[in-house]
Amino acid sequence: MKWLIKLTMLRNIFAYMLGGFVRLFHATNGWIAVRFHPVHIRWQQLPKFRKHFISNFIVGAAIAVGLHVAHHTHWISQAENWAMDSMMFINQNTPRMAQVTNNSEPLEFAFLDIDEDTYRTWEEPFHIPRDKLEHLISYAAKGGAQAIVLDVELAKTSANDASLITFLQQYKAEYPPLFLLRGFYPESKFNGQKDYYFRSSFLDSHELGKNIHWVQPLFKASASDQVVRYWHLVAIGCLDGLPAIAPAFQLLIDVYLSAPEEFNQVIAQLEKQLPDSCDAIEETEQHLKGELYYADKRIKLDANEHQRIGERIIYTLPWQNTTTDEFWRRPAYKITEATRIPSNDLVQNRIVIIGASYSDSRDLYQTPLGEMPGAMIILNAIKSLHLYGQISPPHSVIKWVLELGLIILMSWAFARYNSMKGTLVTGTVIIIILLPLSFYFFKYGLWIDFAVPLLGMQFHQFIAQYEENIAIRNRLNNSGKH
């Protein structure tokens, strides 16, 4: 709610500016009256209500234009974040968000969690034991999982890599696709290395099964509160001195689930974005553009255009110990340390995420639904892209019709009632109409913003209240003279 505090400060600044504007208006009032005398006479002849309505309409239109101009400012961004985060909080774990239409197949997930109990059962290893990872991947692959996500970086070698290497080399084509994480080096001032260099893996020198794919886990946090809200669908990195494409987990899994026969074509489309050398990666990523087409979907790659809305993750599954039909969680040690092979019911026809949530993993982040490990962010991103796609605002025509309707409503309310009653009427209509519309269309990836109209109403109320205070002061001055 920090943006509300900033709104109060902004209103104080606005009051100072408005006062200056009024003083300037009164100073030039005589010149205006002479210059526009016929208009002034016509204006004075209008009924009081009509004059108030027209003036309020002009004020509302000016506020709307101002909010559009300031749309990418920090404080409006915070207001939008609050509105969308609230909508996610309301919709978390609800059946309506499990599938978009009655004909669509809901996604089901299983999280094999390397939690605190697992970490201690495994005797707190420095590296997650590779033989344990091989056990978990094998269990999911042979158990009929839809896809397997390994949210564990495989950069450094360890004493027990052999079993995992052998299993991945012999990974069968009929197994579900396995997605391995490839991270980036942080930027280093010591050697001048940029942050787009991939970390090498001990698996790079081995030929892995054909159904194994490397992906990147990049997400973006809001600068104001460090809450992870945005994904990064495509990154370009440097590997062994050559540019390489790095799609996100959720993008490749969505392609596999939506159109598996087009999987290689999508990879080929992405590789067309590669520059000629690693030196041009930074500039290429900044100007990344184009669209991906597969199944009946269109994915826009222009990050600059869609960073605010199109790259938002719709979180619907919080990190929790309880299970639902849609999301099952099982501590990893109950699989690896079981005395007999567990039933495959846990993973069959589910997207299996293998990741860590123990505190020493340093893989916990703040999200709109509270703290959760990186594996849960990936899980929510997969569901978000597959079911809801990239979030988009309504068509421009619909958006302008809604705004015009709200401006007319505010103009009528503030002309008919005082500032307090006008705010009450306008706010009630926004809550009764916009909030249900936003709630209904949210599951379809369509975002009808109700935060910015509420901001506009606040500014309109302030101007109306300022005018009322001026009128009261004038009446008091006139009564004092008599």
Side-chain angles (χ1 to χ4, degrees):
M1 301 298 287
K2 292 180 180 178
W3 69 274
L4 290 175
I5 300 173
K6 293 184 178 181
L7 176 60
T8 304
M9 296 172 60
L10 194 65
R11 286 179 62 178
N12 292 334
I13 297 172
F14 186 70
Y16 179 80
M17 294 174 61
L18 184 62
F21 176 79
V22 170
R23 286 191 294 271
L24 179 63
F25 177 79
H26 285 307
T28 59
N29 194 29
W31 178 84
I32 292 174
V34 172
R35 192 79 173 179
F36 298 96
H37 182 68
V39 178
H40 180 71
I41 295 296
R42 185 70 181 271
W43 174 259
Q44 294 298 329
Q45 292 173 349
L46 289 176
K48 183 179 179 181
F49 175 81
R50 189 176 297 180
K51 285 196 295 185
H52 283 178
F53 179 85
I54 294 173
S55 60
N56 278 294
F57 185 87
I58 294 172
V59 167
I63 291 173
V65 170
L67 290 175
H68 275 286
V69 171
H71 185 68
H72 294 288
T73 57
H74 178 65
W75 58 279
I76 289 186
S77 175
Q78 283 190 307
E80 289 179 342
N81 286 340
W82 167 81
M84 199 172 289
D85 292 352
S86 301
M87 193 60 64
M88 292 180 198
F89 184 82
I90 295 170
N91 281 284
Q92 64 178 316
N93 272 341
T94 55
R96 68 182 296 271
M97 299 299 288
Q99 58 187 113
V100 176
T101 64
N102 294 329
N103 297 326
S104 63
E105 290 291 331
L107 288 184
E108 295 181 333
F109 299 91
F111 179 23
L112 305 185
D113 186 6
I114 306 173
D115 60 358
E116 201 66 44
D117 291 338
T118 300
Y119 180 60
R120 297 188 182 189
T121 300
W122 291 352
E123 298 180 350
E124 303 184 20
F126 183 74
H127 293 296
I128 295 178
R130 311 309 189 196
D131 56 335
K132 306 293 186 184
L133 291 179
E134 182 268 329
H135 192 146
L136 293 171
I137 297 171
S138 176
Y139 166 67
K142 296 174 182 177
Q146 265 192 311
I148 305 171
V149 172
L150 182 63
D151 183 32
V152 176
E153 193 168 39
L154 302 173
K156 302 297 183 182
T157 58
S158 66
N160 55 1
D161 294 337
S163 61
L164 179 62
I165 293 172
T166 301
F167 177 76
L168 295 181
Q169 287 176 322
Q170 300 173 358
Y171 196 80
K172 297 179 181 179
E174 60 265 26
Y175 283 165
L178 171 62
F179 298 91
L180 302 180
L181 179 153
R182 187 184 291 280
F184 290 84
Y185 284 107
E187 186 171 355
S188 173
K189 294 182 180 179
F190 178 74
N191 58 12
Q193 189 179 63
K194 299 292 186 179
D195 60 358
Y196 51 74
Y197 280 83
F198 285 117
R199 287 184 182 275
S200 57
S201 168
F202 64 87
L203 295 174
D204 290 341
S205 58
H206 302 277
E207 186 176 351
L208 307 181
K210 292 184 178 179
N211 215 10
I212 297 176
H213 311 279
W214 290 97
V215 288
Q216 49 86 5
L218 299 180
F219 294 93
K220 304 173 188 175
S222 298
S224 58
D225 52 13
Q226 294 303 304
V227 172
V228 178
R229 293 188 173 95
Y230 306 94
W231 57 39
H232 192 123
L233 286 182
V234 179
I236 301 175
C238 190
L239 182 65
D240 297 331
L242 295 173
I245 204 74
F249 279 105
Q250 61 272 19
L251 179 58
L252 286 195
I253 290 178
D254 184 50
V255 175
Y256 174 78
L257 295 176
S258 303
E261 69 282 357
E262 299 179 39
F263 193 90
N264 292 330
Q265 297 176 21
V266 171
I267 298 295
Q269 287 184 61
L270 291 172
E271 288 178 343
K272 291 179 181 179
Q273 302 276 353
L274 289 175
D276 296 329
S277 67
C278 289
D279 294 334
I281 285 178
E282 201 165 14
E283 183 179 356
T284 303
E285 274 209 309
Q286 289 176 353
H287 299 91
L288 190 65
K289 60 182 179 180
E291 297 174 339
L292 287 179
Y293 294 91
Y294 56 89
D296 58 346
K297 297 186 175 183
R298 183 183 70 167
I299 303 297
K300 297 182 179 181
L301 302 179
D302 190 344
N304 292 327
E305 180 184 354
H306 298 280
Q307 183 174 5
R308 178 74 66 82
I309 296 295
E311 293 193 347
R312 279 296 300 252
I313 306 167
I314 298 181
Y315 288 89
T316 54
L317 297 172
W319 183 29
Q320 55 189 11
N321 292 324
T322 57
T323 60
T324 63
D325 292 338
E326 185 181 12
F327 170 67
W328 290 358
R329 173 193 167 276
R330 184 65 59 87
Y333 79 91
K334 292 189 176 182
I335 307 297
T336 60
E337 313 306 314
T339 55
R340 56 183 181 179
I341 300 175
S343 169
N344 65 355
D345 291 345
L346 176 65
V347 296
Q348 191 171 30
N349 296 322
R350 291 177 177 268
I351 297 172
V352 177
I353 315 284
I354 302 170
S357 67
Y358 64 94
S359 58
D360 281 355
S361 69
R362 303 293 190 271
D363 198 30
L364 298 175
Y365 307 91
Q366 288 298 323
T367 73
L369 300 185
E371 188 179 61
M372 63 176 64
M376 285 298 301
I377 295 177
I378 293 171
L379 187 152
N380 275 283
I382 292 170
K383 181 183 175 184
S384 178
L385 184 61
H386 184 67
L387 290 186
Y388 320 123
Q390 290 177 302
I391 303 176
S392 61
H395 190 276
S396 299
V397 174
I398 298 174
K399 190 174 180 181
W400 281 108
V401 168
L402 283 173
E403 289 193 9
L404 181 61
L406 287 173
I407 291 172
I408 292 173
L409 169 67
M410 290 185 190
S411 303
W412 174 85
F414 285 104
R416 177 69 177 81
Y417 304 107
N418 60 30
S419 60
M420 185 61 69
K421 289 183 179 179
T423 303
L424 184 62
V425 171
T426 307
T428 301
V429 172
I430 290 174
I431 292 172
I432 291 176
I433 295 178
L434 283 190
L435 199 57
L437 282 176
S438 183
F439 179 82
Y440 177 78
F441 286 107
F442 192 60
K443 66 178 289 186
Y444 300 104
L446 186 66
W447 176 240
I448 299 176
D449 191 10
F450 57 88
V452 173
L454 287 173
L455 282 177
M457 181 195 68
Q458 287 285 317
F459 282 118
H460 208 138
Q461 179 211 6
F462 181 74
I463 293 173
Q465 192 173 8
Y466 185 86
E467 291 175 344
E468 289 172 4
N469 292 339
I470 293 293
I472 293 171
R473 189 185 306 164
N474 290 337
R475 284 200 299 267
L476 290 174
N477 290 338
N478 292 331
S479 63
K481 292 177 182 179
H482 294 293

